[in-house]
Amino acid sequence: MANFGLENLILINPCNLKEDAYYQAMHAKYIVEKAVKNTYPNLDDFLKKEEIDFIVGSTGTPGGSYNLSRIPIKPEELGKSINLNKKIALIFGREGNGLYNEEIEMCDIIVSIPTEHSYPIMNISHAAAIIFYELFKNRNEFPVEGLEEATRIEKEYLLKDMEDIIKKLDIPEHKEKTGIKSFKNIINRAFITGREAHTLKGILRRILMKFE
Amino acid sequence: MANFGLENLILINPCNLKEDAYYQAMHAKYIVEKAVKNTYPNLDDFLKKEEIDFIVGSTGTPGGSYNLSRIPIKPEELGKSINLNKKIALIFGREGNGLYNEEIEMCDIIVSIPTEHSYPIMNISHAAAIIFYELFKNRNEFPVEGLEEATRIEKEYLLKDMEDIIKKLDIPEHKEKTGIKSFKNIINRAFITGREAHTLKGILRRILMKFE
């Protein structure tokens, strides 16, 4: 939860947490400490007392019987479509048994992680990590300085220099075109950073100078 | 791993696994049982003995210092572009310390999960679950003819030519190194195809000829 900027853990009818629960939480003990003060006896009570805008239930890959309430969306679809400005509850069921049918009925939507057929039952903390990750993914970009992707203009200058070089190589026109196109594809697919663009540009400039 | 159809777990210089390791594996004990028979003393040994086509390292969100080898792609980008028909190694580092720099240098590409600034260190099993999930998600969409990724050898020839060019540009040695490294990163991150490698190589050869 802390990895993905979440902090409101609610426990419904929990057992007594032992020391291990705090230890496993590592630097996110504060989430567990807050959670034990904020429990509800059942899901219905929780949903009534908190004012939840949207309820997402999670299930393992749905079983054989076709059940309209259980038609799930994928975590990716959830991440792309959910409005994170609303008050959302993500409901995870019991380890092993998951959510009961009457609990699933209370949900606005069901999310399910696509898995291998032969082993669809996931550890609940792994399932939670994947769903949190998909929600977080659509929120932020990598924020490390120097890793910003090159701007469109930086990439255009780079491609222009490469084009100038290729045009001086006396190769057939169709090969010129293929070369320019390949270089452009590679630059775009590599999500080249501003600094890399600068480095490459320096080299291309030097190559051009050698040609004169 | 079993949730996402993976079964080859390799342990590098592991401690002795206790009963708990088998218990935690639930219905995937067979993966752990196989893994303890298949260990290596260090990463280098593993990469040499198995014939790995492509090495993916994972790191936490990169720290403050800018390091060319550590420019990561996101799990989603990895999942979309990697060719799962190749023999791929996903390398996860030590809990806490992650991969050492010399181990990162051995990787063709680095993947990093976007997280909250305030708590970027993930539990390794959660990080692994997210990366496996992204690879699984895109599993059935890849093998388009003509789009096969360039082989390791094709990429090495390409890098060798680029290196030869850069060494003829009379630039300071540290800039030579940065240039070579940047080019290598871009080629790897772009998952360059065999056909693109061939095209680029033709151009680099022509540039070298012009220098003579």
Side-chain angles (χ1 to χ4, degrees):
Chain A
M1 287 182 64
N3 290 142
F4 299 113
L6 301 171
E7 52 183 48
N8 293 316
L9 173 64
I10 311 279
L11 300 171
I12 311 278
N13 187 27
C15 58
N16 278 321
L17 299 194
K18 292 176 193 156
E19 198 49 47
D20 201 37
Y22 297 87
Y23 171 75
Q24 295 278 356
M26 301 294 289
H27 299 289
K29 285 187 185 59
Y30 63 96
I31 292 180
V32 184
E33 282 159 3
K34 195 172 153 196
V36 293
K37 292 176 198 151
N38 197 12
T39 69
Y40 289 87
N42 56 58
L43 189 57
D44 201 35
D45 255 44
F46 160 68
L47 294 174
K48 273 180 190 148
K49 287 202 190 136
E50 306 277 337
E51 284 168 6
I52 304 295
D53 293 318
F54 196 73
I55 307 162
V56 182
S58 69
T59 67
T61 306
S65 72
Y66 184 85
N67 181 330
L68 259 187
S69 305
R70 284 179 176 266
I71 296 178
I73 63 167
K74 295 177 189 171
E76 185 177 12
E77 292 159 356
L78 181 71
K80 280 186 181 148
S81 53
I82 205 163
N83 180 352
L84 294 175
N85 296 318
K86 302 257 173 161
K87 197 167 180 186
I88 297 159
L90 289 173
I91 319 277
F92 293 92
R94 300 150 193 85
E95 182 101 43
N97 288 327
L99 293 171
Y100 298 143
N101 280 339
E102 60 267 28
E103 292 164 339
I104 285 179
E105 298 290 340
M106 295 179 204
C107 297
D108 293 307
I109 206 168
I110 295 295
V111 64
S112 189
I113 297 170
T115 55
E116 188 69 45
H117 287 295
S118 59
Y119 199 165
I121 310 295
M122 286 190 74
N123 170 290
I124 191 174
S125 82
H126 293 148
I130 286 168
I131 291 169
F132 299 162
Y133 155 81
E134 282 285 11
L135 294 178
F136 184 85
K137 216 165 79 174
N138 296 292
R139 224 178 56 166
N140 273 330
E141 293 300 312
F142 270 126
V144 176
E145 186 149 12
L147 293 187
E148 301 89 0
E149 202 186 331
T151 63
R152 177 167 294 275
I153 289 166
E154 284 171 323
K155 287 194 276 185
E156 271 167 16
Y157 274 113
L158 203 56
L159 290 172
K160 181 70 178 61
D161 281 347
M162 194 66 197
E163 201 174 325
D164 290 346
I165 289 172
I166 288 174
K167 287 199 165 148
K168 289 188 174 165
L169 295 179
D170 311 313
I171 51 177
E173 206 185 318
H174 74 277
K175 286 204 174 180
E176 275 185 10
K177 279 191 181 160
T178 314
I180 293 164
K181 181 75 184 147
S182 295
F183 190 71
K184 186 178 174 184
N185 283 347
I186 291 164
I187 293 300
N188 281 328
R189 282 211 311 274
F191 299 97
I192 182 174
T193 66
R195 218 177 287 194
E196 284 171 334
H198 182 78
T199 298
L200 264 200
K201 199 172 148 55
I203 288 167
L204 297 184
R205 279 281 142 116
R206 281 279 180 168
I207 292 173
L208 275 170
M209 278 163 61
K210 283 277 269 195
F211 283 179
E212 272 152 24
Chain B
M1 287 181 64
N3 290 143
F4 299 113
L6 301 171
E7 53 183 48
N8 293 315
L9 173 63
I10 311 278
L11 301 172
I12 312 274
N13 188 26
C15 57
N16 278 321
L17 298 195
K18 291 175 194 157
E19 201 45 50
D20 200 36
Y22 297 88
Y23 172 74
Q24 294 278 355
M26 301 294 289
H27 298 291
K29 285 188 186 58
Y30 65 95
I31 292 180
V32 184
E33 283 160 3
K34 195 173 154 196
V36 293
K37 292 177 199 151
N38 197 12
T39 69
Y40 288 88
N42 56 59
L43 188 56
D44 201 36
D45 256 45
F46 160 68
L47 295 173
K48 273 179 191 150
K49 286 200 191 138
E50 305 277 339
E51 283 167 7
I52 304 295
D53 292 318
F54 198 72
I55 307 161
V56 182
S58 69
T59 68
T61 305
S65 71
Y66 182 86
N67 181 330
L68 259 186
S69 303
R70 283 175 177 268
I71 296 178
I73 64 168
K74 296 176 191 171
E76 185 177 14
E77 292 158 358
L78 181 72
K80 279 187 180 146
S81 48
I82 205 163
N83 181 349
L84 295 175
N85 295 318
K86 300 259 173 161
K87 196 166 181 188
I88 297 160
L90 289 173
I91 318 275
F92 293 92
R94 298 150 195 85
E95 183 101 43
N97 288 326
L99 293 172
Y100 298 143
N101 280 337
E102 61 267 28
E103 292 163 339
I104 286 179
E105 296 290 339
M106 294 178 204
C107 297
D108 293 307
I109 206 167
I110 296 295
V111 64
S112 189
I113 298 170
T115 56
E116 189 68 46
H117 287 295
S118 58
Y119 200 163
I121 311 294
M122 287 190 73
N123 170 289
I124 191 174
S125 83
H126 293 148
I130 286 168
I131 291 170
F132 299 161
Y133 155 80
E134 282 284 10
L135 294 178
F136 184 84
K137 230 167 67 172
N138 297 286
R139 210 174 57 165
N140 295 318
E141 292 164 18
F142 215 77
V144 178
E145 188 146 11
L147 293 186
E148 300 89 1
E149 204 191 329
T151 63
R152 177 168 293 275
I153 289 167
E154 283 171 324
K155 287 194 278 184
E156 270 166 17
Y157 274 113
L158 203 56
L159 290 172
K160 181 70 179 61
D161 281 347
M162 193 67 196
E163 202 173 325
D164 290 344
I165 290 171
I166 288 174
K167 287 199 167 148
K168 290 190 173 161
L169 295 179
D170 311 313
I171 51 177
E173 207 185 317
H174 74 276
K175 286 205 174 179
E176 275 186 10
K177 280 191 181 160
T178 314
I180 293 164
K181 185 72 187 150
S182 295
F183 190 71
K184 186 179 173 186
N185 282 346
I186 291 164
I187 293 300
N188 280 328
R189 284 212 310 274
F191 296 94
I192 182 174
T193 65
R195 218 176 288 191
E196 284 169 336
H198 182 77
T199 300
L200 264 200
K201 198 170 150 55
I203 288 167
L204 296 185
R205 280 282 143 116
R206 282 281 180 168
I207 291 173
L208 275 170
M209 278 164 60
K210 283 278 269 195
F211 282 179
E212 272 153 23

